[in-house]
Amino acid sequence: MTLSPDLMESPRTSAVDTVVGQIRGLIRARGLKVGDVLPSEAELADMFAASRGTVREAFRTLKAYGVAESRQKVGAVLTAQHGNAMRDLFAFAMDISEDAFRDIQGYRRLTEMNLFDLVIDRLTDADMAEMAEMNRRLRDAPDAETASAEDYRFHRRLVDAAGNRTLSETYGMLEPVIRRLMLAGKSQRRALEGAADDHDAILAALAARDRIAFVYHMNRHLDAGLEFVPGA
């Protein structure tokens, strides 16, 4: 006799998934936020009529997704580490190579080169001034790490100006990899000056509301670092 998929599912796994869902419901119902403490294993086991072991495994699932962490003398505390976990994974898995450069810059080309219509009426004079200041700090950066940080902030401000939360979160998850690519060549003055000059041209295109110039300079900028990638 062939068992149905429902009967083939592990009862243990099903019970853990159920408790995970119940804990999520509890978080929503009580309006719990990052830093709030969840009820203890014993309290949750009693609340959901589940075994302590099932609740413990449900906690492990929440911790694996970066939703909660255990703290001594406190218990399980809600966290927001899922984004950090994704960023760490990307940073660990990505080697800086020509293929990696083309993949990441290809993603950025699909997003950043198409931002003009989304941001042109959203960027304020204050935004433009702040991006110009970021670019000044990039130009005057004392080291490659500082330069890459300012480079990333410049582009992140432009992405955030689009007002699309999913786009901003995805770009944020890729921060370690993008910044590693931005490090390429930044120890050389000509690379640093070139990046700052490109940013100036992008800002000038935005100020002039010139879509063609914006796309041209962004495309040129995204290709510029390839010569500094080993083996490219």
Side-chain angles (χ1 to χ4, degrees), residues 48-109:
F48 301 139
S51 70
R52 292 278 294 271
T54 299
V55 172
R56 191 172 300 117
E57 289 188 33
F59 269 139
R60 289 196 186 108
T61 300
L62 295 174
K63 291 172 188 174
Y65 281 100
V67 176
E69 65 180 16
S70 295
R71 295 182 184 172
Q72 287 187 342
K73 300 181 181 179
V74 176
V77 177
L78 289 180
T79 63
Q81 298 300 312
H82 50 287
N84 291 340
M86 287 297 294
R87 286 193 289 269
D88 291 345
L89 176 62
F90 277 122
F92 177 78
M94 181 68 74
D95 291 324
I96 301 305
S97 63
E98 180 178 358
D99 287 343
F101 182 94
R102 295 190 184 281
D103 284 346
I104 296 300
Q105 300 303 74
Y107 160 80
R108 295 181 63 198
R109 187 171 280 105

Side-chain angles (χ1 to χ4, degrees), residues 19 22-23 39-56 59:
V19 172
Q22 289 171 324
I23 294 173
S40 68
E41 284 184 7
E43 290 171 324
L44 288 173
D46 183 61
M47 192 181 303
F48 301 139
S51 70
R52 292 278 294 271
T54 299
V55 172
R56 191 172 300 117
F59 269 139

Side-chain angles (χ1 to χ4, degrees), residues 128 199-210:
M128 295 284 284
H199 286 182
D200 281 339
I202 290 167
L203 286 173
L206 288 168
R209 304 178 71 87
D210 187 336

Side-chain angles (χ1 to χ4, degrees), residues 125-192:
D125 290 343
D127 290 329
M128 295 284 284
E130 188 166 355
M131 290 172 70
E133 174 60 19
M134 292 171 185
N135 201 38
R136 184 196 66 76
R137 293 197 297 265
L138 164 63
R139 195 181 294 276
D140 296 337
D143 53 62
E145 284 288 348
T146 303
S148 69
E150 295 300 338
D151 196 354
Y152 177 81
R153 290 189 187 104
F154 179 95
H155 288 272
R156 178 61 188 267
R157 174 54 59 88
L158 193 58
V159 169
D160 288 345
N164 186 304
R165 186 175 63 183
T166 299
L167 176 59
S168 291
E169 289 179 353
T170 304
Y171 201 85
M173 288 180 185
L174 287 170
E175 178 179 354
V177 178
I178 293 173
R179 284 190 54 183
R180 283 177 67 186
L181 293 184
M182 287 175 169
L183 273 172
K186 285 294 194 300
S187 59
Q188 300 182 35
R189 174 52 56 177
R190 71 182 180 88
L192 192 152

